[in-house]
Amino acid sequence: MTRRPSFPARLDGGPARPAAPRAAAPAVAASPTGVGLASQAVRARMVQKLAAQGVSDPRVLAAMGTVERHRFVDTALANQAYEDTSLPIGLGQTISKPNVVARMIELLLAGRTDAQGKLGRVLEVGTGCGYQAAVLSCVATEVYSVERLRGLHDKARENLRHLRLPNVHLLFGDGMVGYAKGAPYAGIIAAAGGEALPAAWTDQLAEGGRIVAPVVSPGGQQALVVVEKAAGQLKHSVLESVHFVPLKSGVA
Ligand code: SAH
């Protein structure tokens, strides 16, 4: 049996090895980004910041501490990956700020989980680089993630390949029509904001399910909206203002 190298490299000395000369290249040099092996500590700091900003669900904090955000952005941006900022991912799109990702997933979970603490099937509209899909894979049983731009769908596939997440299903298509084959969903989360929530989403939402999505208000501002389906009725709540890329129909 071959053992895969552990990541990050052991800093605790690890098992006894012949002593290497002190001047040997540090293990950190293995990463061209400079974030590499130190990333766990940087992520832990990001998680502390998220907690200070009010994110309290331990499952969300654990997921944010696990997924290596720096692997989802261009090498040139990797050193900004753990700052609370959105970053370009190509084709005019952006990866959301960690704080927004954590907040939205926390809203999605909102106490509705199984005995293992997991949400059921989740639909994500707007795969982008695949980062949020990876975070969702830690807290949901299945993640169906739809992207309308071929270039980003392919990029997400590439970014997620090494993680081998069997519960993440990447789909190329228009997420405005949802993804009927995976329905009904315990949660639907959108990373792009339109004028209204597409009817397909509320149709494909399970009883007791929740949608968390940015929606453009009549004043032209985007706000985070939570929709809950209970006894066949939809309850809308409008929360804080947000800035997401536009939800567009069709594929490109
Ligand atoms: N969750 C992503 C954020 C991507 S930004 C991440 O972690 O990287 C939002 C994405 O939504 C963009 O890639 C955009 O192309 C996509 N998008 C916009 N309208 C869409 C639609 N109707 N269906 C699927 N994806 C859509």
Side-chain angles (χ1 to χ4, degrees):
M1 204 180 88
T2 54
R3 280 194 60 196
R4 294 172 58 210
S6 60
F7 182 84
R10 303 180 62 128
L11 299 176
D12 58 1
R17 265 194 221 163
R22 270 265 174 244
V28 182
S31 165
T33 66
V35 179
L37 300 174
S39 81
Q40 200 165 42
V42 186
R43 254 190 326 283
R45 259 201 310 280
M46 176 188 80
V47 169
Q48 277 170 5
K49 237 183 267 171
L50 292 174
Q53 288 165 336
V55 178
S56 62
D57 191 316
R59 294 161 302 180
V60 176
L61 293 171
M64 297 297 292
T66 302
V67 181
E68 300 181 329
R69 195 170 186 261
H70 69 276
R71 293 190 186 270
F72 291 83
V73 295
D74 278 356
T75 321
L77 297 171
N79 59 355
Q80 292 176 57
Y82 298 103
E83 289 168 20
D84 202 17
T85 177
S86 54
L87 293 170
I89 53 173
L91 302 177
Q93 309 302 315
T94 51
I95 180 175
S96 312
K97 291 193 216 199
N99 177 270
V100 171
V101 172
R103 163 92 172 130
M104 288 178 78
I105 297 178
E106 187 165 66
L107 285 169
L108 199 69
L109 293 174
R112 305 164 313 112
T113 46
D114 65 12
Q116 281 74 47
K118 289 221 170 186
L119 193 60
R121 289 194 301 276
V122 168
L123 173 69
E124 178 191 40
V125 178
T127 313
C129 65
Y131 171 71
Q132 182 170 268
V135 178
L136 286 167
S137 80
C138 305
V139 301
T141 57
E142 301 294 332
V143 180
Y144 296 87
S145 183
V146 192
E147 173 56 56
R148 67 177 289 276
L149 297 178
R150 172 65 78 181
L152 285 176
H153 168 76
D154 291 344
K155 188 181 234 182
R157 195 167 286 291
E158 188 56 39
N159 286 343
L160 291 169
R161 179 166 298 140
H162 78 282
L163 293 177
R164 294 194 194 90
L165 302 171
N167 65 337
V168 174
H169 314 282
L170 298 183
L171 309 152
F172 172 60
D174 179 359
M176 285 181 81
V177 301
Y179 181 64
K181 283 189 193 147
Y185 296 103
I188 298 179
I189 185 166
E195 304 281 315
L197 291 179
W201 300 0
T202 47
D203 291 347
Q204 292 174 19
L205 190 64
E207 176 63 27
R210 267 188 165 205
I211 299 175
V212 180
V215 177
V216 181
S217 69
Q221 285 270 325
Q222 252 184 16
L224 210 53
V225 168
V226 174
V227 176
E228 290 165 280
K229 192 187 257 189
Q233 301 284 311
L234 299 174
K235 185 180 147 225
H236 286 69
S237 317
V238 180
L239 308 176
E240 68 267 25
S241 69
V242 283
H243 303 280
F244 279 86
V245 295
L247 183 71
K248 294 187 177 169
S249 60
V251 295

